Amino acid sequence: MSGNLVRSSSACFRASVRLAFAGVLLSLAGAALAKGPQPAPASTVVHPQIWPRVTPALPPDPALEKRIHDLMAHMSLRQKVGQLVMADITTIKPEDLATYPIGSILAGGNSGAYGDEFASPTKWRKLVDAFHRAAMAHAPAGHPAIPVLFGIDAVHGNNNLVGATLFPQNSALGATRDPALVKAIGAATAAETRAVDIDWTFAPTLAVPQNDRWGRTYEGFSQNPSVVAELGAAEVRGLQGDPGSKDFLGAHHVIATAKHFLGDGGTHDGKDQGDTEVSEQVLRDVHGAGYVSTIAAGVQTVMASFSSWNGEKMHGNHGLLTDVLKKRMGFDGLVVGDWNAHGQLEGCTNASCPKAINAGVDVLMTPEDWRALFANTLKQVQNGQISKARLDDAVARVLRVKLRAGAFDRQAADAGKTPLSVIGSPAHRALARRAVRESLVLLKNKGGILPLNPHQRVLVAGDGANSVSKQSGGWTITWQGTGVTPADFPNAQSIWSGLKQQITAAGGHAELAVDGAFKTKPDVAIVVFGENPYAEFQGDRKNFAFDDNRGRDLDLIKKLRGEGIPVVAVFLAGRPLWVNREINASNAFVMAWLPGSEGGGVADVLLRKPDGTVQHDFHGKLSFAWPRTAVQVAQTADDPQYPYGFGLTYEDRDIAGPLPEKSGLVGQQYPTGLYLDHGKAVGKFRLMLTTPAGVPQAVTSVPSQSGDGAVRITGVDYRAQEDARRVMWKKPGGTLALTTQASVDLDRQTSGDVMLVMTLRTDAVPASGTVTLGVTQADGATVGVPFRAALAKLPNKHWMTVALPLKCFREAGAHMGAVTAPFVLSSDAPLDLALSKIELNSHADTVLACPAAAMH
C-alpha cells in the first residue's frame, strides 16, 4: 500500500486543475458560511444554467457506447426493468434471479451473509459469488446475460466485516486535511471490500454538515465545502483508481458512490431526512461542491438523498437530478436511490414509484418490496407512465457502469481476485494507525502535561478506554454499531491496549479501571469517554449538550482531580459537543473523534518515547467549529468556543482561561425517542393509569392510582431520590401507558435496529396470568405482545436495561406509522416493578426476542 500514500506529480497536477475548476464556487461558499444560515426562499425552481459544467473524467468512448447499444437491442423488457431494481440479501436469494432479472443486490446495515451479521469473509465471498454466478447463468433464451452489481456501505473500511480494518470516521479524516492519506484509505477499503468480491460501495458521503445535532455529522469530512470537495475526490480516486489509468475500476478497486445528492448536511435543526431551507446559490456553492470535484474524479454512481430542498423531496426532484446533475454537470453514471426513500414521495409506495424514475433515479433501492416494484414498474413502462426513452436512458447508465467496472468479464474463480489475507492486513492497520495520529486535535494542554512520560504509573479510566465498539461508532459490523462484543474485533486494538503496550515496554505501570477505582495512587490518569455508537436518525440531538452518561464522566474526572491526580481527557465523538465542564475539569483535553480499530494511534501521540522525546506531535485541526453553548443554532452561525481550524501542538503554550459553564439550556431538553426519564414523562408525553373499564387517570404526582385502585404508582430511588416509579397491579386489569395527543411516526425506526428500551427492576412477577406490552395506534387500537414470561426470566430486584425490538409490535399487527402511546403495559395478575427510563435505543443489557403470539 505504500505506493498509494504519495500521489505522482501528474496526479497532483490533475487534482489541482480540477480543484481550481471548483474554486469559483468554493470562494462563494466561504462567503455564505461566514454569514451563517441565510433566510430560505420558498422557491424550488431550479436554474441549471447557474450550475457549473464539469469536464468529464472519462472521454467519450464510441466502442463502449456501441456495446451498450448492442446489449440493449437484445435485452428483453423484463431484463431492462430489472436493471432499475435493487434488493437486499435478507429478502432475495441467488436462485430468485432465475425468475427476476434484478440488476443489483445490496447488503444493508444489518444484513449479513446467510443471515449472519458476524459471518466470516469466506461466507461473504460465497454468497456474493453465488449472486454473480446466478445472474450470468439465467439469461432468457435469445437474450444476453446481464451481471449484477453488489453494493454495501463500506464507509470507514469494509466495516460490515468482522476482522476488517476500521479507519477513522470521516469527521476525523477531515481534521487531517490530508488528501493523499484519504486516497490511500480509499484504496485499502476497496481492497478489503473486493476481497469478498463486493464491487460497489455507497461511499463517500459528501454532506457538508451545518448543524452538528445531525446524527450523521461524523459521515461528513467538514463543515467547509472546500475540504469536502478535496477529500471526497481523493477518496473516490482511492476507491476506484485514477480515471484513465489501467488500474481504474480494476480487480482491487470498487465502484464509488457520491452521496447524498443534495443538501443532506443542511437540514433544518440538523434533522435526518429533513428539509434544507436554503437558496439555490447556497445549495450549489456549499452543498454541491463535493459533486463538482467527485464527478471530475470519475465517480460512477450518485445516491439521491432522503432529504428535501425547500419542501421538495430529492428523490422526486427532476430539476436537480436530471437537469443539473446529469445534463448540466455531465454525470453519465447511474443515480441510485436510498433505502425505500422513493416510497416517501407523494403518490408513491415502496412497491411503486414512477415519479422517482421519471425524476432521474435510475435504480430504486427496495430492500423488501422488490418483487412488487418489479411488477409495477413493468406495467408502468407498458402503459406509458414511464416512457421507453426514460427506461432506456436508465438502463444505458446501469450498463455503462457495469461495463466500465468489468462486471461482464468477471469470473467467480478469477485468478486476479484480491486475497482474503488483505483483510485487516498489517499494512492497512498501519495506515489506519497513522490516520488516527493525524486526526487527533488537542484542545487543552495546561502546564504542558502532554506528552506523558511512559515511565510513570498511569491509570486508564472511562467506559471508552477498552471499547473498540465505542471508539469506532456507528456503521461498525452492525448498522448502529451496537450489539457487538470484543470478540467481534479480532484484529483491533483498544485505546487501553495501545497505552498499556507502550507504557509497559517503557518500564512504566498501566492500570485499567473504568470507574477510576485504583489500587495504588497513579501519577496521572487518562479518562476515555464519549458518545455511545449510533447511526442515522438515532443520533439526532435536540441540542449540543453531551449527556450520554448523565454527568458520570464529569464526576469521574472531578473525583480523580480531587484526589490530586492530573487528568488527560480523551473524548470519543463523531462531532463537537458542549463539554465545557469536562474540559475545565481536565488538565488536558483531546478530541479523538471516532478513531476506529487502531487505538494504538492515540498512545503514539499522548506518550513520549522512552528517551523523553516526542513520538508524534498533534497534527489535527478542527474540521468543525466547537459549540460555545449547548443551544446555539449551528456552528457556522454562532461565535464558537473553538473556531474551525483550531488545534494546539506541543510547541504551543496553552494560556486559555476557564471556559464558561452555563449551557444555555432552559430546563432539560430531551433527544427524540425519550419518553420517560428519571421516572417522569418527557416533553409532550403523559404518564397515564387506566382502569380495566378504560377510565384514564393522568399521573401528575406520586403517589397516585387508577380510579378503582387497580394500579398504584409511587416514587422510588434508583440513582437519585425518587428518580424512578414503582408500579403495582393490585387488582386484575388496568394499564400504565405513556401517551401523546400528536402521534409519532416510528416506521423507519421499526425497519432498523431500534428497540423500546426500559430501565427497570422487577420486584414481583406473577407465576401465571397475562402481562402485555404494547403500543396504541392513532385509531385507538392497542396491539401488544406477551411480556410475563420475559419479565419472569429477569433477575429479581436488580436494575437493568431491557429492550424489545420495535419490529415485534409490527409483527404483531401494529401500524407503526402513527403511534399515540409507544409504551402500554397491562396485567391481569399482581405485578410489581419499577421504571426509571423508557426510550428508543439500539443497545441494552438484555434484548428480548419477539414473542410468538400477539395480544390485541
Side-chain angles (χ1 to χ4, degrees):
M1 296 305 300
S2 60
N4 290 319
L5 297 182
V6 180
R7 295 183 297 180
S8 67
S9 59
S10 61
C12 289
F13 175 76
R14 291 193 300 271
S16 65
V17 169
R18 290 187 172 96
L19 288 171
F21 179 78
V24 174
L25 292 181
L26 300 182
S27 63
L28 293 173
L33 286 171
K35 295 178 182 178
Q38 303 298 300
S43 175
T44 57
V45 176
V46 177
H47 303 85
Q49 69 276 11
I50 74 169
W51 291 75
R53 294 188 184 278
V54 183
T55 302
L58 300 172
D61 184 346
L64 174 68
E65 297 305 315
K66 183 179 185 303
R67 190 173 179 188
I68 293 170
H69 180 271
D70 291 346
L71 282 168
M72 291 177 62
H74 294 90
M75 290 172 67
S76 69
L77 181 60
R78 284 175 56 83
Q79 281 183 304
K80 287 185 176 181
V81 169
Q83 299 307 299
L84 278 60
V85 179
M86 174 183 280
D88 187 81
I89 58 173
T90 57
T91 63
I92 190 170
K93 297 178 180 178
E95 49 265 34
D96 291 328
L97 297 182
T99 305
Y100 295 92
I102 300 303
S104 52
I105 309 295
L106 86 148
N110 282 328
S111 303
Y114 301 104
D116 180 7
E117 287 186 85
F118 306 95
S120 68
T122 302
K123 280 188 176 180
W124 272 103
R125 178 183 272 186
K126 179 181 177 181
L127 177 68
V128 176
D129 285 351
F131 276 109
H132 287 321
R133 287 194 298 270
M136 300 305 286
H138 296 300
H143 300 286
I146 307 296
V148 293
L149 294 179
F150 197 110
I152 199 166
D153 289 272
V155 294
H156 66 123
N158 190 7
N159 41 261
N160 293 269
L161 188 65
V162 172
T165 307
L166 299 173
F167 294 95
Q169 299 274 8
N170 282 355
S171 58
L173 296 182
T176 71
R177 309 291 202 276
D178 190 339
L181 173 64
V182 172
K183 182 182 180 184
I185 288 172
T189 298
E192 295 201 20
T193 304
R194 280 305 291 266
V196 292
D197 287 348
I198 294 174
D199 46 21
W200 186 6
T201 177
F202 305 131
T205 296
L206 301 177
V208 187
Q210 299 298 289
N211 192 315
D212 292 348
R213 289 180 288 172
W214 185 38
R216 304 190 76 160
T217 294
Y218 65 80
E219 296 185 47
F221 290 110
S222 175
Q223 71 181 58
N224 187 326
S226 64
V227 173
V228 173
E230 184 175 30
L231 298 188
E235 184 172 352
V236 167
R237 288 175 175 273
L239 290 166
Q240 296 188 159
D242 289 316
S245 71
K246 292 182 180 180
D247 199 33
F248 181 68
L249 290 176
H252 306 301
H253 288 283
V254 295
I255 300 163
T257 306
K259 67 180 188 183
H260 307 83
F261 191 87
L262 183 64
D264 52 333
T267 58
H268 181 67
D269 283 341
K271 183 179 180 182
D272 192 51
Q273 302 186 20
D275 191 14
T276 299
E277 302 170 357
V278 298
S279 68
E280 187 177 3
Q281 288 75 17
V282 171
L283 188 71
R284 176 196 67 191
D285 300 339
V286 176
H287 302 287
Y291 296 91
V292 175
S293 65
T294 53
I295 291 172
V299 72
Q300 290 298 292
T301 69
V302 170
M303 183 179 289
S305 177
F306 268 108
S307 61
S308 304
W309 175 52
N310 291 339
E312 183 175 347
K313 283 284 184 181
M314 282 303 310
H315 272 65
N317 197 314
H318 184 278
L320 290 171
L321 291 174
T322 297
D323 296 335
V324 169
L325 177 63
K326 293 181 174 180
K327 294 182 178 179
R328 180 68 177 182
M329 298 174 73
F331 174 66
D332 66 356
L334 69 86
V335 174
V336 61
D338 207 341
W339 186 282
N340 281 334
H342 58 276
Q344 296 183 359
L345 298 183
E346 185 177 356
C348 289
T349 67
N350 293 347
S352 176
C353 194
K355 184 176 181 178
I357 295 171
N358 289 330
V361 180
D362 302 306
V363 177
L364 297 182
M365 188 183 289
T366 315
E368 299 170 341
D369 298 313
W370 55 270
R371 290 181 180 83
L373 178 72
F374 175 84
N376 288 328
T377 304
L378 182 62
K379 291 178 183 177
Q380 288 152 6
V381 171
Q382 291 170 332
N383 66 24
Q385 284 183 271
I386 300 170
S387 70
K388 294 290 181 65
R390 173 67 192 109
L391 173 67
D392 284 350
D393 172 63
V395 174
R397 289 173 176 276
V398 174
L399 294 178
R400 188 175 294 117
V401 173
K402 289 182 176 182
L403 286 166
R404 284 174 175 166
F408 281 84
D409 307 315
R410 182 198 303 111
Q411 296 296 325
D414 190 359
K417 277 187 176 183
T418 304
L420 291 177
S421 60
V422 78
I423 297 168
S425 69
H428 290 172
R429 291 190 62 191
L431 177 65
R433 186 163 177 159
R434 174 191 159 197
V436 174
R437 291 195 299 264
E438 291 194 22
S439 64
L440 300 178
V441 179
L442 181 60
L443 297 182
K444 179 181 180 180
N445 191 21
K446 279 297 179 183
I449 184 176
L450 290 174
L452 297 175
N453 180 352
H455 300 290
Q456 298 182 99
R457 180 177 290 275
V458 182
L459 175 71
V460 184
D463 64 359
N466 199 29
S467 173
V468 177
S469 172
K470 188 153 184 164
Q471 72 192 42
S472 298
W475 290 106
T476 299
I477 302 181
T478 64
W479 174 36
Q480 296 284 328
T482 57
V484 291
T485 68
D488 301 319
F489 301 99
N491 297 329
Q493 184 177 50
S494 70
I495 293 172
W496 150 249
S497 179
L499 289 166
K500 179 186 179 184
Q501 185 180 62
Q502 292 192 33
I503 292 168
T504 302
H509 178 82
E511 179 181 350
L512 174 67
V514 170
D515 62 359
F518 50 82
K519 297 176 183 177
T520 303
K521 184 177 178 180
D523 298 308
V524 66
I526 299 173
V527 176
V528 187
F529 69 102
E531 292 188 286
N532 292 317
Y534 59 83
E536 54 206 79
F537 75 80
Q538 189 65 23
D540 287 359
R541 287 181 176 269
K542 290 291 186 181
N543 54 63
F544 290 98
F546 169 67
D547 59 357
D548 283 30
N549 285 330
R550 300 291 177 191
R552 291 195 292 274
D553 301 303
L554 177 59
D555 292 342
L556 173 58
I557 295 170
K558 287 184 173 180
K559 170 182 173 290
L560 293 168
R561 288 295 305 277
E563 294 172 334
I565 302 168
V567 172
V568 175
V570 176
F571 190 47
L572 300 173
R575 53 194 163 185
L577 293 172
W578 189 77
V579 284
N580 282 15
R581 294 164 185 165
E582 288 84 353
I583 294 174
N584 282 344
S586 307
N587 297 85
F589 195 95
V590 177
M591 178 52 160
W593 309 98
L594 297 172
S597 62
E598 304 312 308
V602 176
D604 291 345
V605 182
L606 264 57
L607 300 176
R608 295 179 183 271
K609 293 180 181 179
D611 64 7
T613 59
V614 173
Q615 285 195 82
H616 296 276
D617 202 345
F618 280 91
H619 175 93
K621 304 298 179 185
L622 288 178
S623 45
F624 300 87
W626 202 276
R628 182 174 292 276
T629 71
V631 295
Q632 63 189 65
V633 176
Q635 66 266 34
T636 56
D638 297 90
D639 181 29
Q641 187 64 67
Y642 298 106
Y644 166 85
F646 180 86
L648 299 172
T649 68
Y650 284 140
E651 293 182 355
D652 296 322
R653 184 183 174 201
D654 186 357
I655 59 174
L659 305 181
E661 294 197 356
K662 290 186 178 180
S663 67
L665 293 172
V666 178
Q668 180 65 43
Q669 299 187 19
Y670 294 92
T672 302
L674 182 60
Y675 306 132
L676 184 81
D677 193 40
H678 293 88
K680 297 180 181 180
V682 168
K684 297 180 180 180
F685 286 90
R686 295 189 301 168
L687 196 58
M688 302 290 294
L689 299 177
T690 305
T691 68
V695 179
Q697 171 73 43
V699 179
T700 57
S701 62
V702 291
S704 185
Q705 64 181 17
S706 59
D708 62 352
V711 188
R712 179 174 172 79
I713 185 168
T714 61
V716 294
D717 297 346
Y718 169 37
R719 294 185 181 275
Q721 186 175 7
E722 293 201 356
D723 64 341
R725 298 291 178 261
R726 183 182 181 187
V727 191
M728 296 158 282
W729 275 258
K730 298 294 187 181
K731 300 178 182 178
T735 63
L736 171 73
L738 283 159
T739 68
T740 180
Q741 290 184 338
S743 64
V744 292
D745 183 353
L746 299 180
D747 256 340
R748 187 143 191 267
Q749 290 91 327
T750 303
S751 298
D753 187 26
V754 179
M755 305 179 288
L756 183 69
V757 179
M758 299 151 280
T759 301
L760 59 76
R761 181 192 71 197
T762 57
D763 291 334
V765 178
S768 61
T770 301
V771 179
T772 305
L773 178 64
V775 297
T776 300
Q777 303 167 167
D779 62 5
T782 297
V783 179
V785 298
F787 199 48
R788 186 195 61 78
L791 289 176
K793 294 178 181 179
L794 301 178
N796 219 28
K797 298 187 182 302
H798 175 74
W799 282 101
M800 61 188 306
T801 55
V802 178
L804 184 72
L806 290 177
K807 65 182 179 183
C808 298
F809 300 119
R810 174 180 282 172
E811 291 175 2
H815 300 291
M816 302 300 287
V819 173
T820 57
F823 173 88
V824 181
L825 184 63
S826 62
S827 178
D828 66 1
L831 172 65
D832 189 345
L833 56 75
L835 293 158
S836 178
K837 187 176 184 179
I838 300 173
E839 63 179 333
L840 299 185
N841 214 317
S842 300
H843 48 85
D845 298 328
T846 297
V847 177
L848 306 174
C850 293
M855 306 293 291
H856 295 267

